Amino acid sequence: MKLHNLSLRDKATFSQYLALDNHELSVYAFENIYIWKELFEISWAIIEGSLCVFFRDKIGAFLYLSPLTNKLKPQVVPEVFKILDKFNANKEISRIENAEEKDLAFYRNFGLECLQKSSDYLCLRDDLVELKGDKFKSKRASFNYFVKNYNFEYRLFAKQDKTSCFKLYQDWASKRRKNNRDVLYCGMLDDSLKTIKILLNDYEKLNYIGRVVKVEKKIKAFSFGFKLNTQTFCILYEITDLSVKGLAQFIFRELCREMRDYKYINIMDDSGLENLKQVKLSYHPIRLVPAFIVKGK
């Protein structure tokens, strides 16, 4: 089985296969696959009419998401694990990541174990724009404070913003690292540095939507997202200067306000971080979209 190394030229092929089914998890988008190419060796193959995406690093290999097709085919699963087992000296780490809940019965019929990994937070766009009621009182207050107290400009991300946005992330990560010395968390900050660099460098070749906020003529916030499906827009990154009160609430609300064609906003998972979990819950998602790991028993 020939595996192809992932490149930007594969975007059209991926888009074709991703569109064969309706996906709610944020990983099911080329924009959220391609950015990991500095952290993993990413390759793909068409197996029995299904596009399969393999991630590999020094630890081993796994399938990043379920085979992309309009209907999962039984003959694909053994082929996937055969490829993974060739890469992995320890066969126990051969697995399929980010399987969707609707496919669990299919995998369990193979005698495979399905373990919940994480959940994306799915919000109603109208809720995030209107910020009605007591449950959004603090968000409204922060938004209003920013609007009343700062001289700002909210606009589209432009090519000349790359350096300023990258520097903003570096400053943001440095402050986060000082407040949290956890090795895993600091590793996530380092990983995001690499993925954001790819996003900024290849922004024009991908289907990201990016916005920046300038305060006193300096970029103090940026946000990037992408279309996940016909009803859902996903916010991939939001970085703000932590010293500017209400800025995070402002850029988040304004980007959501622009996404009028979508009913839902996916704000992704919480990476297993309790503080991030509380932030996402504070936007009162209507549903959690679970992701599962599939492996042999």
Side-chain angles (χ1 to χ4, degrees):
M1 178 63 64
K2 179 175 173 56
L3 297 181
H4 308 275
N5 291 326
L6 183 70
S7 74
L8 280 171
R9 295 189 302 273
D10 302 321
K11 181 172 172 288
T13 300
F14 271 64
S15 297
Q16 175 189 343
Y17 279 86
L18 285 161
L20 293 175
D21 199 1
N22 187 61
H23 302 287
E24 291 189 303
L25 286 171
S26 58
V27 295
Y28 285 81
F30 188 77
E31 291 76 14
N32 204 7
I33 297 171
Y34 179 78
I35 58 172
W36 294 99
K37 70 187 186 75
E38 290 297 319
L39 293 163
F40 296 93
E41 181 183 328
I42 306 176
S43 56
W44 61 274
I46 306 295
I47 303 174
E48 299 291 339
S50 302
L51 192 153
C52 300
V53 185
F54 297 89
F55 275 36
R56 186 184 180 191
D57 62 10
K58 60 184 179 182
I59 298 173
F62 58 93
L63 200 70
Y64 184 57
L65 31 75
S66 284
L68 298 175
T69 179
N70 58 349
K71 185 178 180 181
L72 289 174
K73 301 175 178 66
Q75 60 268 39
V76 174
V77 175
E79 288 299 317
V80 164
F81 278 93
K82 188 184 298 183
I83 292 170
L84 292 175
D85 288 347
K86 285 181 181 178
F87 285 127
N88 297 326
N90 178 5
K91 305 297 188 288
E92 291 184 1
I93 66 172
S94 295
R95 66 198 186 277
I96 300 171
E97 294 259 354
N98 301 304
E100 297 176 285
E101 190 170 26
K102 63 183 175 63
D103 297 327
L104 297 187
F106 170 85
Y107 289 119
R108 284 172 177 151
N109 282 339
F110 274 92
L112 296 170
E113 187 175 14
C114 302
L115 305 171
Q116 186 168 348
K117 167 190 174 184
S118 60
S119 294
D120 281 2
Y121 293 76
L122 192 69
C123 302
L124 281 173
R125 188 196 75 92
D126 286 351
D127 286 349
L128 304 181
V129 174
E130 295 168 0
L131 298 180
K132 288 182 178 179
D134 287 342
K135 65 183 182 179
F136 288 114
K137 184 178 179 180
S138 66
K139 305 293 186 190
R140 287 197 309 275
S142 296
F143 177 93
N144 291 334
Y145 182 92
F146 175 79
V147 171
K148 291 176 182 177
N149 290 278
Y150 291 96
N151 178 23
F152 65 88
E153 177 191 6
Y154 171 81
R155 63 164 172 79
L156 275 65
F157 169 82
K159 187 176 181 179
Q160 61 267 25
D161 298 328
K162 286 198 305 185
T163 301
S164 295
C165 287
F166 192 66
K167 177 66 164 55
L168 176 62
Y169 177 80
Q170 289 177 310
D171 292 343
W172 176 90
S174 177
K175 291 175 183 176
R176 291 291 190 187
R177 192 175 278 108
K178 287 178 182 177
N179 294 328
N180 190 338
R181 298 290 186 178
D182 179 77
V183 175
L184 181 60
Y185 179 70
C186 291
M188 290 178 182
L189 294 176
D190 292 338
D191 290 350
S192 290
L193 183 71
K194 295 175 182 177
T195 57
I196 284 177
K197 187 175 182 179
I198 291 172
L199 184 157
L200 292 171
N201 286 337
D202 292 325
Y203 175 83
E204 295 171 316
K205 302 170 187 174
L206 296 163
N207 292 331
Y208 295 113
I209 290 176
R211 299 292 183 267
V212 299
V213 177
K214 279 190 168 185
V215 178
E216 303 299 337
K217 298 183 179 181
K218 291 185 178 180
I219 290 179
K220 295 291 186 178
F222 66 79
S223 186
F224 292 97
F226 56 85
K227 175 183 177 180
L228 182 58
N229 57 52
T230 56
Q231 289 194 304
T232 309
F233 183 81
C234 178
I235 295 182
L236 179 62
Y237 283 113
E238 178 189 293
I239 302 296
T240 66
D241 184 325
L242 301 173
S243 68
V244 182
K245 183 178 178 180
L247 178 52
Q249 290 76 20
F250 173 81
I251 193 171
F252 183 74
R253 187 182 190 183
E254 289 305 297
L255 182 55
C256 291
R257 195 193 308 273
E258 286 191 72
M259 299 300 113
R260 296 179 182 86
D261 293 338
Y262 301 97
K263 183 176 181 179
Y264 304 107
I265 302 292
N266 182 317
I267 55 176
M268 303 186 62
D269 65 18
D270 55 34
S271 300
L273 301 172
E274 184 60 30
N275 63 328
L276 188 55
K277 175 182 177 181
Q278 294 308 316
V279 170
K280 291 181 185 287
L281 288 174
S282 72
Y283 279 100
H284 302 280
I286 59 164
R287 186 157 56 87
L288 300 184
V289 184
F292 295 85
I293 294 173
V294 177
K295 62 179 188 176
K297 290 184 178 179

